[in-house]
Amino acid sequence: MATYTAARREAKQGYVMIAPTLIYALVLLAAPLLTILAFSFFKDGYLTVIREVTLANYIAVWTDPIFRAILLRSLCVAVMVTALTVGTAYPIAYFLSFGVSPGKKSFWLFLITIPFWTSYLVRVFLWKVIMGYNGVINSGFEMLGLMGDGRLFEDPFRMLSTMPAIAVTLAHCYAPFAILPIFVALEKIDRSLHEAGRDLGESRWTTFLRVTLPLSMPGVVAAVLVVFIPVIGDYVTPELIGGGKLPMVANMIQAQMLPLDNKPMGSAIAVSAMVTVTVIALIFVGLVRIFVKGAK
Amino acid sequence: MKVSGLKCYAYLYLLFLYAPILLLPIFAFNDGTVIAFPLKGVTFEWFGQMWENETLRRALTNSLIIGTSSAVLATILGLFAARATTRYRFPGKGPITALIMLPLVLPEIMVGSSLLIVLLGLGVDLSIVTVILGHALIATPFCIALLSTALGSLDRSLEEAALDLGETKWSTFWLVILPLVMPGIISSLLIGFVISMDEFIIAFFLAGNEPTLPTYIFSQLRFPKAIPMIMALGTCLVVLSVVLLTIAEYFRRSGLARAGLKDTGGFL
Amino acid sequence: MSDRKPMIEFNDIQKFYGEYHALRGITATIREGEFFSLLGPSGCGKTTLLRTIAGFEDISSGAVLIDGHDMAQVPPNKRSTNMVFQSYAIFPHLTVAQNVTFGLRRDPRTKAEKAGLVEDMLGKVGLAGYGKRAAHALSGGQRQRVALARALILKPKVLLLDEPMSALDRKIREQMQVELIKLQRDLGITFVLVTHDQEEALVMSDRIAVMFEGEIAQLDDPETLYRKPASRRVAEFIGAMNFLDAEVIGQADDGITVVVDGLGQVVLSHSQVSTAHDGTVAVGFRPETMTILQDGQTSDGLETLGVIEEVVYYGDMTYYDVRLNNGKRSVRISMRNLFGRTIPDIGANVRVAWSPGALILFQ
């Protein structure tokens, strides 16, 4: 009886301490998300919502070829962005962890995080400037005399309103999200494991493959999730870089929620997209767990 | 050999990360209405235009109010959560933390649209207050991450020592914990402020008719004539962010130094 | 010493962490002005017991009395005990002087008076003139001195020290041990020290409680603890001890007759029998109680024959593993390397002098 009082008192203090934040999150995060879930089963009346449970929204969403095309495009972009971001981030994280002296690590991390904190909209817009028809890249080629009739490139590149352009822009935005978890995972690896790997006859490269990579997998998985899930919901980049011609899920949700004011439909799209993303993410985590030992 | 190859790659990667930011001031001072090369000479016209713009000033005021309020709110919420998770064990800690940290991965459009539905359903008028509520929600996880580091690195026997020397729990908090965590609190406030100043989607959904800096910028990006001024504004914002982040980083490091710890990483 | 009044009394203290039984019925008394040590391997409950005195640890049942008062409802900040923490817990945002004066915040004396007290106390711990230093720039030994000054300035009835020496280098540790003893003698305050280092406990303490698995195995002064350990386990934990298989063949009023492997038949007095019973019967003796005789050297005691099996040279000492009279196991004998003494080689046949009075019977 007396045995458990200390633990119980500690738990009580813990609950009291976390209560303000928890209540805030319940009221302003959990409740709204549940409301969206509920709305997705309601019917849209003009200017109001009819509280009548129906699957009509979901049927409409999933039979709509436009939605399917947009969802597929969003997923494609998200996969591209994730592959690009994580693929390019890994060497950077590796460099930070192994190639930078301990005293300089936080400076490098600081350098890498700064662009992430500077005006998102302006950054996206500048990618439009860089990749535009008479933008930095094209005019650069022109200045170098590589472009024009009979030169290396005949015409300026049309880069905007393409999926790769969207992917590059988003990869830029989410870079720190990919670098940091991998860096943290690499930092946790005991340095003597590398020496042990070399000592046991592995080359640098095979040591990397057999020791470093598997041990850093948890970081890679975290990076993938932290990039893949939010990218699906990006609104600004398709709007600015895609020029509105390549909408993604977020643009569709926004259109239903605000201009069209069909909130049940918007909710159904949001829920469908989030469920799809979550399922894909879970499948990914499951596959990694099966194939890579050492990943948790 | 291998590391120097990696180093070249790292510099190229930094160039990729900084390319947009480096271009920004170039166009902000360029004496031409079209954002393209070649450049046409130096002008301060766009900064002047920016200064005189009435709507922009209003957006700036709103953003400052929202940024400050949501930073304070998020830091207070973050302090409670960080203290609870670093100091106490209780059942359900995992799921509770997961819920609070969820905005870190949840697309902002989900936060924005779901809050919109609830607020409209409750008959709450959209204003900068609703934006503050939303921004505090998404900034809290970042604040928690920063404050957990600060609180987690506190030696628990420091608190016990204060109690042992006759202080109460409350005075221990004021005399020992707060001063030691202060650098973390300051960087948390700054990060919360920067996040809010830069957030677009939630403000877009929840601000009603009130402009904030990002929603104002977004509305102007459609008009080619307004772009040079936006470049000037962007330059100012970048400078502001860099200054604030440098201060935040300074406090984070001095906090570690005070606690006598080695630096192990940056933000997040 | 034993006539002094009790300062701390433990009455049947039980402590559970969930299912884990950390303290199993501790009953003991620490007297006023005593240097008392809680000694044991890690996880034996010694730090938990210390923390129950300070009030940082609730007890599941039983009572802790300080100076005759039950501490059950008294929080740490109201107890007349102060603690030197294992990590020293020096407030890193304050100067040395601010750290030392931390506990005097509610004291009505003037600032100048307090400053004088601080300077005085810093002098006592060997840190005169360090008041203005930033606390985070101090070395380990200096931190410990600040922690001492900070606790002692409040004139506690009891000073609690939680493994205070464990983070120090060996040289500084030995120096601090001596300083602590002097400080305790000068101030006359009751010191309670937690340590896992038996040497440290022997050097510093008036009395030592040896703890295993949440229980006090033996509570005695250092000499008794060393000469007459209550059990095999205590004997092994404090110093080194040889154990030889033995068989009791006769009990009488004037002594116990025992046949010891390698030594033959011996009569031991009743005072040579350990109090605790751990099952097997064995006879133990300390390595320094036997002497390997040089050629021609004689002894007043008994002599037996042995073969050197191993020689370990330590500079001032040499340890020999010797098999006595083809016994079942060899024993370790330690000898000082006195000038002119030759060290026998491995395999050498030697005569060993011993005395039955140095033997302890464990049963």
Side-chain angles (χ1 to χ4, degrees), chain A residues 7 9-22 24-33 35-36 39 85 87-92 94-95 98-100 102-103 106-123 125-130 134-136 139-140 143 168 171-172 175-177 179-180 183 187 204-205 208 225-226 229-236 239-240 249-251 253-254 257-258 263-264 267 270-271 274, chain B residues 2-3 6-7 9-11 13-14 16-21 23-24 27 34-38 73 76-81 83-85 87-93 96-97 99-100 102-111 113-120 132-137 140 142 144 156 169 191 194-195 198 200-201 204-205 213-215 217-218 221 227 230-231 233-235 237-238 241-242 245-247 249 252-253 262-268:
Chain A
R9 180 167 351 129
E10 182 177 327
K12 205 178 130 199
Q13 286 171 329
Y15 288 129
V16 169
M17 196 54 86
I18 205 156
T21 322
L22 177 61
Y24 194 85
L26 284 174
V27 172
L28 290 164
L29 184 65
L33 290 176
T35 311
I36 272 212
F39 260 57
T85 318
T88 54
Y90 196 98
I92 291 296
Y94 187 89
F95 169 71
F98 293 94
V100 177
S106 56
F107 177 69
W108 270 88
L109 283 173
F110 185 57
L111 270 186
I112 281 167
T113 35
I114 276 202
F116 171 66
W117 297 109
T118 53
S119 180
Y120 173 60
L121 283 168
V122 174
R123 261 186 301 148
F125 182 77
L126 278 161
W127 279 105
K128 190 176 172 179
V129 173
I130 292 170
N134 49 4
V136 175
S139 54
M143 277 201 292
V168 166
H172 180 258
F177 278 116
I179 295 173
L180 290 173
F183 170 73
E187 282 289 279
R204 229 178 247 279
W205 175 242
F208 172 78
L225 295 182
V226 159
I229 300 175
V231 157
I232 286 282
D234 195 87
Y235 172 83
V236 174
E239 199 72 15
L240 290 180
V249 169
N251 309 76
I253 296 172
Q254 187 268 345
M257 291 282 183
L258 295 178
K263 299 209 163 57
S267 302
V271 172
M274 286 322 291
Chain B
K2 197 183 172 199
V3 170
L6 264 179
K7 201 167 189 171
Y9 174 76
Y11 283 120
Y13 196 84
L14 277 186
F16 165 69
L17 284 181
Y18 279 84
I21 300 175
L23 286 172
L24 194 54
F27 291 113
V34 185
I35 303 297
F37 287 107
L73 186 53
I76 292 170
L77 292 171
L79 261 179
F80 278 110
R83 174 80 174 157
T85 50
R87 178 72 159 68
Y88 300 101
R89 273 170 302 172
F90 47 90
K93 189 165 160 180
I96 291 173
T97 321
L99 172 69
I100 294 170
L102 184 63
L104 221 47
V105 287
L106 195 67
E108 279 160 14
I109 190 141
M110 295 297 295
V111 178
S113 54
S114 63
L115 267 175
L116 178 78
I117 287 182
V118 169
L119 292 170
L120 290 182
I132 292 170
L133 294 178
H135 280 182
L137 190 69
T140 302
F142 289 89
I144 291 176
R156 192 166 162 177
K169 280 201 164 175
I191 292 292
V194 171
I195 290 174
D198 196 29
F200 166 68
I201 290 279
F204 188 47
F205 272 79
L213 275 183
T215 56
I217 292 173
F218 188 74
L221 287 175
I227 302 284
I230 295 297
M231 295 293 110
L233 174 61
T235 308
L237 288 176
V238 167
S241 294
V242 172
L245 289 168
T246 311
I247 297 173
E249 173 73 2
R252 193 186 63 79
R253 281 197 207 181
K262 271 184 72 182
D263 198 350
T264 47
F267 300 114
L268 298 169

Side-chain angles (χ1 to χ4, degrees), chain A:
Chain A
M1 329 132 289
T3 314
Y4 296 103
T5 48
R8 208 178 296 153
R9 180 167 351 129
E10 182 177 327
K12 205 178 130 199
Q13 286 171 329
Y15 288 129
V16 169
M17 196 54 86
I18 205 156
T21 322
L22 177 61
I23 291 167
Y24 194 85
L26 284 174
V27 172
L28 290 164
L29 184 65
L33 290 176
L34 290 175
T35 311
I36 272 212
L37 187 64
F39 260 57
S40 68
F41 291 103
F42 291 158
K43 235 164 139 177
D44 184 52
Y46 183 65
L47 289 179
T48 71
V49 170
I50 300 159
R51 289 169 196 245
E52 202 177 281
V53 175
T54 168
L55 282 174
N57 298 316
Y58 284 102
I59 294 166
V61 166
W62 286 99
T63 51
D64 179 5
I66 297 175
F67 169 76
R68 282 188 308 217
I70 287 180
L71 182 63
L72 189 65
R73 177 187 302 135
S74 304
L75 290 174
C76 283
V77 168
V79 169
M80 277 163 73
V81 172
T82 309
L84 194 62
T85 318
V86 177
T88 54
Y90 196 98
I92 291 296
Y94 187 89
F95 169 71
L96 283 180
S97 186
F98 293 94
V100 177
S101 65
K104 286 185 181 161
K105 273 182 188 170
S106 56
F107 177 69
W108 270 88
L109 283 173
F110 185 57
L111 270 186
I112 281 167
T113 35
I114 276 202
F116 171 66
W117 297 109
T118 53
S119 180
Y120 173 60
L121 283 168
V122 174
R123 261 186 301 148
V124 172
F125 182 77
L126 278 161
W127 279 105
K128 190 176 172 179
V129 173
I130 292 170
M131 296 190 286
Y133 194 77
N134 49 4
V136 175
I137 294 178
N138 281 330
S139 54
F141 281 133
E142 205 163 351
M143 277 201 292
L144 291 171
L146 295 174
M147 200 171 277
D149 290 331
R151 309 264 170 79
L152 187 58
F153 308 116
E154 290 277 322
D155 296 308
F157 295 103
R158 195 186 139 268
M159 284 171 279
L160 289 181
S161 306
T162 63
M163 286 195 355
I166 294 180
V168 166
T169 309
L170 285 169
H172 180 258
C173 295
Y174 285 88
F177 278 116
I179 295 173
L180 290 173
I182 301 174
F183 170 73
V184 170
L186 287 170
E187 282 289 279
K188 280 189 192 150
I189 300 175
D190 184 349
R191 292 305 190 254
S192 59
L193 289 177
H194 294 257
E195 285 159 15
R198 298 300 302 278
D199 185 59
L200 295 170
E202 300 290 332
S203 73
R204 229 178 247 279
W205 175 242
T206 50
T207 305
F208 172 78
L209 287 182
R210 291 184 60 186
V211 179
T212 316
L213 192 61
L215 285 174
S216 63
M217 257 346 247
V220 174
V221 171
V224 166
L225 295 182
V226 159
V227 174
F228 185 75
I229 300 175
V231 157
I232 286 282
D234 195 87
Y235 172 83
V236 174
T237 305
E239 199 72 15
L240 290 180
I241 302 288
K245 289 172 205 132
L246 293 169
M248 285 176 32
V249 169
N251 309 76
M252 205 174 175
I253 296 172
Q254 187 268 345
Q256 291 291 345
M257 291 282 183
L258 295 178
L260 299 177
D261 196 23
N262 186 344
K263 299 209 163 57
M265 187 61 87
S267 302
I269 294 171
V271 172
S272 303
M274 286 322 291
V275 168
T276 312
V277 172
T278 311
V279 167
I280 291 174
L282 287 178
I283 291 173
F284 170 76
V285 172
L287 287 178
V288 170
R289 273 200 193 165
I290 291 168
F291 289 109
V292 186
K293 283 169 196 162
K296 279 184 221 141

Side-chain angles (χ1 to χ4, degrees), chain C residues 145-286:
Chain C
R145 289 160 196 267
V146 175
L148 268 172
R150 182 177 72 180
L152 290 173
I153 201 167
L154 299 177
K155 302 210 174 355
K157 287 180 180 161
V158 183
L159 183 74
L160 307 170
L161 302 119
D162 184 8
E163 303 247 7
M165 253 62 97
S166 60
L168 300 180
D169 295 339
R170 192 174 166 172
K171 279 263 162 66
I172 300 174
R173 186 159 64 217
E174 285 169 0
Q175 187 189 340
M176 281 311 294
Q177 287 174 356
V178 175
E179 284 187 39
L180 264 180
I181 299 169
K182 279 188 190 156
L183 204 59
Q184 196 264 341
R185 238 177 251 153
D186 291 350
L187 297 168
I189 293 174
T190 310
F191 276 32
V192 183
L193 172 81
V194 158
T195 182
H196 64 268
D197 181 344
Q198 45 100 8
E199 213 172 292
E200 184 171 294
L202 290 177
V203 167
M204 301 179 74
S205 321
D206 294 321
R207 287 194 306 153
I208 300 171
V210 181
M211 291 181 69
F212 297 119
E213 273 112 39
E215 286 174 306
I216 294 181
Q218 187 173 3
L219 198 171
D220 263 311
D221 60 276
E223 198 179 341
T224 314
L225 212 52
Y226 188 79
R227 289 207 183 281
K228 214 190 146 209
S231 66
R232 245 182 110 143
R233 197 156 177 209
V234 172
E236 280 169 327
F237 190 73
I238 294 175
M241 186 167 274
N242 291 297
F243 293 99
L244 291 170
D245 293 352
E247 197 185 342
V248 177
I249 55 169
Q251 300 245 20
D253 286 347
D254 57 340
I256 304 164
T257 312
V258 186
V259 177
V260 184
D261 174 46
L263 291 176
Q265 190 167 322
V266 195
V267 179
L268 301 175
S269 76
H270 287 289
S271 69
Q272 281 171 274
V273 182
S274 74
T275 45
H277 297 265
D278 19 30
T280 56
V281 179
V283 156
F285 63 92
R286 298 287 183 189

Side-chain angles (χ1 to χ4, degrees), chain B residues 149-150 153 183 251-265:
Chain B
T149 325
S153 60
F251 276 105
R252 193 186 63 79
R253 281 197 207 181
S254 76
L256 287 175
R258 262 208 231 181
L261 292 168
K262 271 184 72 182
D263 198 350
T264 47

